[in-house]
Amino acid sequence: MKVSLNWLRRHVDLPESAEEVAKALTSIGLEVEGTEEPGKVYDKLLVAKVLTCEPHPDSDHLHITTVNNGTEVIQVVCGAPNVAAGQTVVLAPIGAELPLPDGTMLKMKKSKIRGVESFGMICAEDEIGLSDDHGGIMVLDDGIPAGTPFVSLGMYDVCYELNVTPNRPDALSHRGVARELAAKFNRPLKPLAYNFAEDAEAASGAISLEVVPGCGCSRYVGRVIKDVKVEKSPAWLAKLLHAVGMNSINNVVDITNFILMDVGQPLHSFDMDQLKGNKIKVRKAAKGEKIETIDHTAHELTENDLVICDGDRPACVAGVMGGVESEIVDATKNVFLESAWFNPTVVRKQAKRLCISTDSSYRFEREIDFRTQDEYSKYACAMIQEVAGGRILKGAVEYTGEEHKKECDQVTLRFARAEKVIGMKLEAEKIESYLTGIALEVVAKDAESITFKIPSFRPDLTREVDLIEEVARLVGFDNIPYTLPKFEMRPNELPAHEIMNRKIRKALSAMGLHECLSLRFTSKARTEAIFGVPGETNTDRRAKPAVLLNPLSEELGAIPTSLLPNLLKSVAENEKNRPGSVRLFEVAKGQYKRERKDVRDPGFDESNLVALAIAGNFDADPLNDKPKQIDFAAFKGFVISFFKRLGLVVEIREAAKPEVFLHPGKQAEVVMNGTVLGTMGAVHPSVLSALEITYDTFVLEADMDKMEKESHKKIVFQAFSRQVPSSRDISIEVEKSMTHEQVLARIKGLNPKNLAKITLKSIYEGDKIEAGKKNMVYSLTYQAMDRTLTDDEVNKAHNKLRDKLVANGDIVLR
């Protein structure tokens, strides 16, 4: 918002310089974003005294003058008809620069005018930017000493661009800003001075008012001024409006704009003779009603718009802009002046819908003073009468709704709380002085607190902390002492979940996999293709994703219960575009819908998951032209290595509950300390076909929460032997259905003495062995902790193991 320094001085004495005022404004929270000082270009102008004035011998209109500029007497040739000896004038000496209408600068220099030397120029008002008057030179008061810098006389205004925060509607006027400066400099605010005199004729006889209750207008005051003379505004009024960026229109409209910028009350003036029915009605618009606003734009209204009507025709969009049919023109004789309080939300909504933003709507939206509609209506009428004449009819047509706020709020401030929040101790008298300086009234006080009545123009002051902030602002934030806190700087520890997340991503990236970042939606059809259609026989909760009511597309129609649907979709897309090998992983959440326990329950469970997929080529074989394809053994080794990198020692065992989407003979569970962390295996050919994947594809999906829980378990160091090991092989024949894990469990269960390591060397199935059987060769490593074992000790332990191994009859030695 723009404010004029000369305008501020109408409300409070400000002898300070423009820079000092700007600094004070910023210090109290009204940040000065820019300053316009048009007088700076005229800083070399001087006040001078005309000593003599003689006609030019070679001209019928020029004069030769001698001028005292305060330091010397110089000769100046002047063509103004009113120049005369003894005058106090404005002198542009040699070196001064004056702006010209075309934007260029006229620099004063020694010259000859018709043979007579001239050492400067005596200036008219238009030549020094004070007005458009070029009828003669500007004559000053004789009491001003010669040599005085002209700009120091205060005839040039200074305009500040203020950044007013939305919670400060009181600062959207010059009086509001002046009130803050008065408090800052501890000076009184000048009272509003105007002469309000009413005629004997009553306003209620000239026009009637009807306001529909609850429409958005809770206070309305209308006054009538008859026999006005609409014409050009006086110079002082036009100059003030021009300083804040407003064009002068005519004296009546300019006064309404003056009141708006002066005290912050939006007004609207109607040509009363254009109002039909001698009636004003405030109501909601009917759908389809139209109005042409004074910017000559036609608008179609809705039933949510608030309008001012003359009878039944909209004449003004309330709080936003008036209609063209009732605007003030040169022929206007009688004026109806509106001063009202409109609901901020109603004004904002209709201003946004109609794409109209005005100075009035800007203030209504931020909530104007609810008590001053009548007072400022009188103020405006008196000003109109001063500049345009006319008769102010007695009384007003007015309305006050039941919902209109009538009493000001009261807020209590505790001294101890203020000291704690601000960080410095202030005397009770000082706090009272600061707050009464901005028009708060003391209602009650004691040794510990003061209760204040909040002025009606400060709707932002509702809590104790608001008052404390006002005190801090008026003290000056720069004046509040501060000390740096003493504490030890330590980085915050990451949450356990994030630590595991980072470990997983780092490990899988290092192992050659690429991370996927999928949208957190998936396809219901793809989910059913993997986990099956939910039903009585299929109770897998992953098969029942929550479905969106308004999905962006079928591909994004469900909340994912698993990472595999989107991951396998990425495998299919990568196979088409990057043939050969696909290695992907993703870390994200799975959401599972369930019955809600109460209204606060979202009805979902979440699990943190990690999933990885490897398809196609796995490793290059230097003895083979073709790369090695991924198989179960390779994938199993990859999974075990992955968990080892996370510090988790897992077992891979046969799935207790096989997954339907995995190959029945190529799947397993990943287990640690009896907890199933996840499942792994080859994707079933039917699923691959449904997803248009031709590669053999292996996947793992694990529960990160379980992994995190297991990772917290204490790891106990077990010392290893430094003695020389001894190895023995054992070849056994078993049923084809017996797994390596079962054989390991059998051997470990016999607890052989000094057995340190078991390694599977080979598995054979073929025509040299009985059908339904397979041959497995193991290497057993024996090693003691305290000595090197002799051959006799190793053979004895090994033979004992062989005898016990075949005791059940399901294992045969070969």
Side-chain angles (χ1 to χ4, degrees):
M1 188 191 86
K2 286 187 175 182
V3 295
S4 154
L5 181 56
N6 285 346
W7 202 330
L8 291 173
R9 285 170 175 156
R10 294 170 64 94
H11 295 282
V12 64
D13 291 328
L14 292 173
E16 288 79 10
S17 67
E19 291 77 10
E20 290 172 325
V21 172
K23 185 177 179 181
L25 286 169
T26 299
S27 72
I28 57 178
L30 301 176
E31 181 185 359
V32 177
E33 294 186 326
T35 304
E36 296 176 9
E37 298 185 67
K40 274 194 171 182
V41 71
Y42 303 106
D43 60 346
K44 291 186 178 180
L45 298 182
L46 299 173
V47 175
K49 303 287 186 178
V50 180
L51 302 180
T52 62
C53 179
E54 302 292 339
H56 193 291
D58 194 24
S59 172
D60 57 357
H61 71 281
L62 295 177
H63 297 82
I64 302 173
T65 66
T66 55
V67 177
N68 178 8
N69 64 8
T71 57
E72 61 179 332
V73 176
I74 59 175
Q75 179 175 278
V76 178
V77 177
C78 178
N82 64 328
V83 64
Q87 292 176 331
T88 302
V89 296
V90 182
L91 174 69
I94 292 175
E97 293 184 334
L98 302 179
L100 297 177
D102 61 1
T104 59
M105 301 295 289
L106 173 63
K107 187 172 184 178
M108 294 293 105
K109 56 186 178 179
K110 178 183 175 181
S111 61
K112 277 189 177 183
I113 301 177
R114 295 196 179 183
V116 178
E117 289 185 333
S118 181
F119 297 87
M121 183 174 77
I122 302 175
C123 302
E125 289 188 10
D126 68 326
E127 293 168 331
I128 55 178
L130 291 178
S131 72
D132 297 330
D133 184 10
H134 194 67
I137 60 171
M138 182 178 186
V139 180
L140 304 175
D141 189 284
D142 289 338
I144 305 174
T148 302
F150 180 65
V151 293
S152 68
L153 302 182
M155 295 189 181
Y156 291 105
D157 203 351
V158 175
C159 188
Y160 303 109
E161 184 70 40
L162 301 185
N163 178 13
V164 181
T165 54
N167 67 320
R168 292 296 306 276
D170 62 299
L172 295 176
S173 68
H174 283 81
R175 188 163 184 82
V177 175
R179 184 184 296 110
E180 295 294 309
L181 288 172
K184 174 68 177 177
F185 294 123
N186 194 25
R187 293 178 193 143
L189 191 67
K190 297 178 183 178
L192 285 178
Y194 58 91
N195 183 21
F196 179 74
E198 293 180 308
D199 195 65
E201 183 180 353
S204 57
I207 195 166
S208 63
L209 171 67
E210 178 185 353
V211 179
V212 177
C215 65
C217 173
S218 60
R219 179 79 169 120
Y220 194 98
V221 177
R223 295 187 184 274
V224 178
I225 311 168
K226 286 190 173 182
D227 304 326
V228 299
K229 185 177 181 181
V230 178
E231 57 187 5
K232 183 179 178 181
S233 291
W236 68 267
L237 178 56
K239 190 178 294 185
L240 285 178
L241 294 177
H242 178 73
V244 294
M246 302 181 80
N247 294 325
S248 176
I249 300 172
N250 57 55
N251 50 4
V252 174
V253 175
D254 285 357
I255 286 297
T256 62
N257 288 333
F258 170 82
I259 298 297
L260 174 72
M261 302 304 296
D262 192 48
V263 294
Q265 172 66 51
L267 304 171
H268 187 67
S269 54
F270 297 86
D271 187 333
M272 189 170 167
D273 296 327
Q274 301 302 318
L275 299 176
K276 297 181 179 179
N278 294 327
K279 181 179 180 180
I280 288 292
K281 185 174 182 179
V282 185
R283 61 169 174 82
K284 289 288 189 179
K287 186 175 182 180
E289 277 190 308
K290 295 182 179 179
I291 185 173
E292 183 181 355
T293 48
I294 58 176
D295 60 355
H296 300 285
T297 302
H299 300 280
E300 184 171 333
L301 304 173
T302 71
E303 59 271 18
N304 294 321
D305 294 326
L306 180 62
V307 291
I308 314 299
C309 303
D310 57 348
D312 289 323
R313 180 189 63 173
C316 176
V317 181
V320 181
M321 187 176 285
V324 70
E325 295 184 0
S326 59
E327 69 176 321
I328 303 297
V329 295
D330 291 345
T332 298
K333 297 297 182 186
N334 302 312
V335 175
F336 177 74
L337 187 68
E338 166 192 287
S339 176
W341 192 96
F342 298 120
N343 185 288
T345 302
V346 172
V347 175
R348 178 173 177 79
K349 285 183 177 179
Q350 62 191 25
K352 293 298 180 184
R353 191 187 68 78
L354 297 173
C355 298
I356 304 175
S357 180
T358 62
D359 289 319
S360 294
S361 67
Y362 186 81
R363 285 156 178 79
F364 276 124
E365 290 169 17
R366 284 153 180 77
E367 191 172 345
I368 64 170
D369 193 331
F370 65 86
R371 299 183 70 178
T372 54
Q373 282 67 49
D374 185 57
E375 178 187 353
Y376 291 156
S377 174
K378 293 177 181 178
Y379 182 27
C381 288
M383 296 296 292
I384 290 175
Q385 190 178 52
E386 179 183 333
V387 299
R391 298 180 294 115
I392 305 171
L393 270 56
K394 186 175 182 179
V397 289
E398 55 185 315
Y399 166 83
T400 303
E402 290 295 327
E403 73 277 15
H404 189 70
K405 189 173 182 179
K406 299 175 179 62
E407 296 297 329
C408 295
D409 297 331
Q410 294 185 7
V411 179
T412 300
L413 183 148
R414 296 165 294 171
F415 305 133
R417 181 62 178 165
E419 180 181 351
K420 184 175 182 181
V421 173
I422 297 175
M424 63 184 295
K425 185 174 180 61
L426 292 170
E427 298 297 329
E429 293 77 11
K430 198 68 174 177
I431 293 176
E432 181 179 345
S433 173
Y434 282 132
L435 295 180
T436 54
I438 55 173
L440 275 69
E441 298 179 21
V442 177
V443 176
K445 60 181 177 179
D446 54 34
E448 297 180 351
S449 64
I450 306 181
T451 300
F452 291 95
K453 182 180 179 181
I454 307 301
S456 54
F457 52 80
R458 289 300 301 271
D460 58 310
L461 303 182
T462 60
R463 305 168 300 166
E464 180 184 38
V465 72
D466 296 330
L467 300 190
I468 294 173
E469 182 183 7
E470 292 299 294
V471 173
R473 183 172 64 84
L474 295 170
V475 167
F477 293 112
D478 291 343
N479 297 324
I480 297 175
Y482 64 89
T483 54
L484 293 176
K486 296 180 180 179
F487 56 89
E488 184 180 352
M489 293 288 291
R490 290 185 299 176
N492 289 334
E493 292 186 5
L494 289 172
H497 167 72
E498 181 60 24
I499 293 174
M500 178 58 69
N501 188 326
R502 295 189 181 191
K503 282 184 178 180
I504 289 172
R505 295 165 69 182
K506 183 177 180 180
L508 291 175
S509 297
M511 296 174 77
L513 272 65
H514 302 282
E515 183 175 5
C516 287
L517 296 174
S518 304
L519 291 175
R520 297 320 309 142
F521 301 103
T522 190
S523 164
K524 181 182 178 184
R526 195 181 311 116
T527 302
E528 291 180 351
I530 295 174
F531 299 108
V533 179
E536 293 183 3
T537 59
N538 184 6
T539 59
D540 190 343
R541 64 177 182 172
R542 294 173 297 179
K544 302 175 184 179
V547 180
L548 301 181
L549 295 178
N550 297 297
L552 296 174
S553 68
E554 192 64 31
E555 280 291 308
L556 302 172
I559 304 295
T561 57
S562 166
L563 308 185
L564 294 178
N566 283 345
L567 196 62
L568 290 175
K569 177 190 175 186
S570 298
V571 171
E573 292 175 348
N574 276 269
E575 179 184 340
K576 295 173 184 177
N577 296 287
R578 296 184 63 189
S581 176
V582 180
R583 299 182 176 210
L584 302 173
F585 78 93
E586 185 169 12
V587 181
K589 293 179 182 290
Q591 286 91 12
Y592 314 101
K593 190 175 181 182
R594 56 167 170 75
E595 292 295 326
R596 298 176 65 184
K597 299 176 182 178
D598 51 48
V599 292
R600 291 178 173 270
D601 185 4
F604 279 87
D605 290 326
E606 286 188 342
S607 292
N608 294 298
L609 304 173
V610 56
L612 59 96
I614 299 178
N617 300 340
F618 179 69
D619 199 4
D621 187 346
L623 301 179
N624 246 327
D625 292 336
K626 292 182 179 180
K628 182 180 179 182
Q629 299 294 300
I630 185 69
D631 57 21
F632 185 82
F635 188 68
K636 173 185 172 184
F638 186 93
V639 170
I640 292 174
S641 177
F642 162 58
F643 280 99
K644 277 186 176 180
R645 285 175 180 251
L646 303 180
L648 303 176
V649 180
V650 299
E651 297 177 60
I652 308 298
R653 72 185 185 191
E654 185 177 358
K657 185 178 179 182
E659 299 279 14
V660 295
F661 64 91
L662 295 178
H663 194 292
K666 298 180 181 178
Q667 61 173 292
E669 292 177 337
V670 181
V671 182
M672 182 176 179
N673 299 325
T675 301
V676 178
L677 303 181
T679 56
M680 56 163 283
V683 181
H684 198 285
S686 64
V687 176
L688 294 178
S689 177
L691 300 177
E692 299 181 352
I693 300 174
T694 62
Y695 290 160
D696 287 344
T697 304
F698 286 79
V699 297
L700 162 73
E701 185 169 56
D703 190 321
M704 276 180 57
D705 298 325
K706 292 180 180 179
M707 294 166 60
E708 178 190 324
K709 187 176 180 181
E710 292 298 327
S711 68
H712 292 165
K713 292 185 177 179
K714 187 176 180 181
I715 298 175
V716 179
F717 173 72
Q718 184 176 357
F720 57 90
S721 174
R722 298 185 180 184
Q723 306 303 320
V724 178
S726 297
S727 298
R728 299 291 186 271
D729 288 349
I730 184 171
S731 178
I732 59 175
E733 183 180 298
V734 297
E735 294 291 335
K736 191 175 181 180
S737 60
M738 182 174 283
T739 64
H740 168 61
E741 182 183 5
Q742 291 172 325
V743 175
L744 283 178
R746 181 75 62 84
I747 295 173
K748 290 179 180 179
L750 298 175
N751 196 21
K753 189 176 182 180
N754 295 321
L755 181 62
K757 185 179 179 182
I758 307 171
T759 305
L760 176 62
K761 297 179 68 175
S762 67
I763 300 176
Y764 174 76
E765 297 177 31
D767 55 1
K768 295 183 179 180
I769 196 170
E770 183 182 345
K773 302 283 187 176
K774 62 182 177 183
N775 184 73
M776 305 177 75
V777 178
Y778 287 90
S779 175
L780 308 181
T781 302
Y782 296 89
Q783 190 177 26
M785 294 293 294
D786 56 348
R787 68 188 190 285
T788 299
L789 296 174
T790 64
D791 284 343
D792 289 340
E793 288 177 305
V794 173
N795 291 336
K796 183 178 180 180
H798 185 65
N799 291 334
K800 187 176 181 181
L801 172 62
R802 286 165 57 91
D803 294 340
K804 289 182 178 181
L805 197 58
V806 299
N808 291 343
D810 55 349
I811 297 178
V812 178
L813 296 175
R814 290 178 61 87

